[in-house]
Amino acid sequence: MPTRILPAVGDTDAVRSLTTLLSQLPDAEPVAPVTDSTQLIDTLARLAAESIDELPEVVVVHERIGPVPALELIREVALRFPAVGVILVTSDLSPGLFQAAMDYGARGLIALPLGYEELATRVHAVAQWSVGVRRHLGAATDVFTGVGGTVVTVSGAKGGVGATTTAIQLALAAQASGRTTALLDMDLQTGDVASYLDVQFRRSVVDLATITDISPRVLADAVFPHDTGLALLLAPGEGERGEEVTERAARQIVSALRSRYEVVVVDCGSQLSGAGAAVVEMADTALLVTTPDVVAVRGAKRAVRMWDRLQVRKAEETTVVVNRHSRGTEIQPALIQKITGTGVAATVIPANFKELQGAVDAGRVHELDARGTVKQALWALAGELGLVKGTEVNSHRNGGRERGALTLRRRRELGR
């Protein structure tokens, strides 16, 4: 059986050189190269959704692939597609890089400029390893094929618009429908998920920030199992510790959650940090909650433009959720859509804070009356987004996973 090899190379000259050599390998079947990290993950996810046997045995990642850095991309592939062997093509063969590549999940390195003998030897060895892994996984009853869970981020146009309540209810709706669900509080300085759910906790997302390999056991130790069945990964009690969660750590944490849960809902708050921006980039669906008033809508427009400038997310890839809506409101969803240039969720959340006040004050938001209009609307929104088992994922799910790492320039802009 021929070895299927998928090159992931952003440089035109490197693509030509690599594909020429790969085509000369015996029993090799090079497939059309992908040119960036997003295309690679999307291609592997599509193939894995069909069958694990459809995945290529070998992926060759060039050191200058982008926008996600090569090592981060290798970690993502190794985590989500464990039956695929990854080879890094690099000009740096120092012991430090070799060790880092192995730690991130690479099965081998090949030096630049490329040589036929080294390429043939390494590809053959990695292909044999991949075949062995698939033979082992084929007998397993529960094989993770790499498609991963759905990640939904919930951000606020400004503080106080209801982002946390929205995130909690979306997660509760998904969990109640039978989907394993995690709720991650990435509002690192002022996160209130624990207060809303009456939780006393010891561990937080910060405890995972410095761990380079988040195993299922390590993850399980960090999450808080709530009475509702939700797995909570909470913001730190000391807001200043939020700075310990870097962009890289945020990506690893979300990837780990995605590999263990069918739905991951992330409360990103209203302030954009590097870590929060990385999570919004990774999300399948990015929600921006606003209320239908001038100040909040301006905040939503400002946030959308900033996301676009920083290459976090395009306006058309963002969905605005209108909270506290009433027919008498002058600013209606259609106008908000026109102002922000985003999509607007068909489900609007009615203005009825009295329905929420008792549960919010008691820290028991999970006990909202199921007959209440606000809860019904939020759970209907979960159905619209495809988070509830048995519903279709709508057009907002746009393949937004891993659209790329923030550049140094963008990180500096965030820090200003």
Side-chain angles (χ1 to χ4, degrees):
M1 180 179 177
T3 299
R4 291 161 297 181
I5 309 168
L6 175 59
V9 187
D11 183 83
T12 304
D13 293 334
V15 168
R16 188 181 303 110
S17 174
L18 181 57
T19 52
T20 299
L21 283 175
L22 290 175
S23 64
Q24 298 173 7
L25 299 181
D27 298 322
E29 184 183 314
V31 298
V34 295
T35 57
D36 61 44
S37 56
T38 302
Q39 191 179 359
L40 174 61
I41 295 298
D42 287 348
T43 298
L44 294 177
R46 175 175 49 80
L47 294 172
E50 298 176 13
S51 167
I52 191 173
D53 294 327
E54 296 299 318
L55 288 167
E57 286 77 19
V58 180
V59 169
V60 180
V61 175
H62 193 275
E63 65 179 356
R64 291 199 297 272
I65 193 71
V68 173
L71 289 180
E72 298 290 342
L73 180 59
I74 289 171
R75 178 188 290 280
E76 183 73 4
V77 172
L79 176 67
R80 295 174 54 189
F81 310 96
V84 175
V86 186
I87 298 173
L88 175 63
V89 176
T90 176
S91 56
D92 179 7
L93 289 184
S94 64
L97 179 66
F98 182 87
Q99 184 61 52
M102 296 301 105
D103 290 343
Y104 276 69
R107 302 304 306 176
L109 273 69
I110 298 177
L112 288 170
L114 293 171
Y116 175 84
E117 292 297 333
E118 184 183 10
L119 181 64
T121 300
R122 184 53 53 195
V123 166
H124 176 74
V126 173
Q128 291 296 105
W129 172 87
S130 177
V131 169
V133 170
R134 292 174 197 218
R135 189 178 300 118
H136 172 72
L137 292 179
T141 57
D142 184 18
V143 177
F144 175 61
T145 59
V147 178
T150 299
V151 176
V152 177
T153 57
V154 183
S155 305
K158 68 179 187 67
V161 296
T164 298
T165 300
T166 300
I168 291 172
Q169 291 299 323
L170 292 179
L172 288 171
Q175 178 68 32
S177 76
R179 288 190 163 173
T180 57
T181 305
L183 176 59
L184 169 61
D185 194 346
M186 282 293 291
D187 188 359
L188 297 171
Q189 292 187 339
T190 58
D192 275 326
V193 167
S195 299
Y196 276 51
L197 294 175
D198 192 24
V199 169
Q200 301 295 323
F201 63 100
R202 292 186 302 108
R203 298 189 180 278
S204 73
V205 64
V206 171
D207 292 295
L208 298 177
T210 58
I211 298 176
T212 58
D213 185 11
I214 304 175
S215 67
R217 182 172 181 177
V218 169
L219 184 63
D221 287 342
V223 301
F224 182 95
H226 194 260
D227 294 341
T228 58
L230 289 179
L232 306 179
L233 188 52
L234 301 165
E238 305 82 16
E240 66 274 13
R241 295 199 64 196
E243 296 181 358
E244 299 176 31
V245 183
T246 63
E247 173 197 332
R248 173 179 169 183
R251 290 183 181 279
Q252 293 180 192
I253 291 165
V254 173
S255 294
L257 289 169
R258 171 180 263 159
S259 72
R260 303 297 297 178
Y261 298 93
E262 294 177 83
V263 175
V264 180
V265 180
V266 187
D267 179 4
C268 292
S270 59
Q271 298 297 319
L272 187 68
S273 63
V279 177
V280 173
E281 277 187 303
M282 296 177 70
D284 299 293
T285 300
L287 303 181
L288 183 61
V289 181
T290 186
T291 48
D293 57 83
V294 172
V295 175
V297 173
R298 283 178 177 171
K301 182 179 179 180
R302 185 166 56 245
V304 169
R305 289 185 172 181
M306 180 171 64
W307 288 5
D308 185 62
R309 288 195 306 272
L310 301 181
Q311 301 174 33
V312 173
R313 205 168 188 98
K314 296 179 181 177
E316 58 269 24
E317 297 173 343
T318 303
T319 302
V320 167
V321 175
V322 182
N323 188 22
R324 300 173 198 156
H325 173 267
S326 67
R327 291 186 179 182
T329 304
E330 185 174 346
I331 301 177
Q332 292 293 316
L335 179 57
I336 295 174
Q337 181 174 16
K338 183 178 180 180
I339 291 172
T340 60
T342 65
V344 173
T347 305
V348 295
I349 316 305
N352 192 357
F353 184 71
K354 288 183 179 180
E355 181 184 316
L356 303 177
Q357 188 164 8
V360 171
D361 290 344
R364 310 289 292 179
V365 173
H366 51 291
E367 295 180 355
L368 283 179
D369 189 342
R371 296 169 296 180
T373 57
V374 174
K375 180 174 180 177
Q376 287 182 357
L378 287 167
W379 285 41
L381 176 63
E384 178 185 339
L385 299 173
L387 303 183
V388 177
K389 186 173 288 187
T391 60
E392 295 291 333
V393 178
N394 72 354
S395 60
H396 297 306
R397 184 167 183 171
N398 48 46
R401 294 175 184 164
E402 292 291 21
R403 268 183 302 278
L406 297 174
T407 61
L408 179 60
R409 174 184 63 80
R410 289 155 61 194
R411 284 196 294 267
R412 286 173 177 168
E413 288 177 327
L414 286 173
R416 289 176 183 171

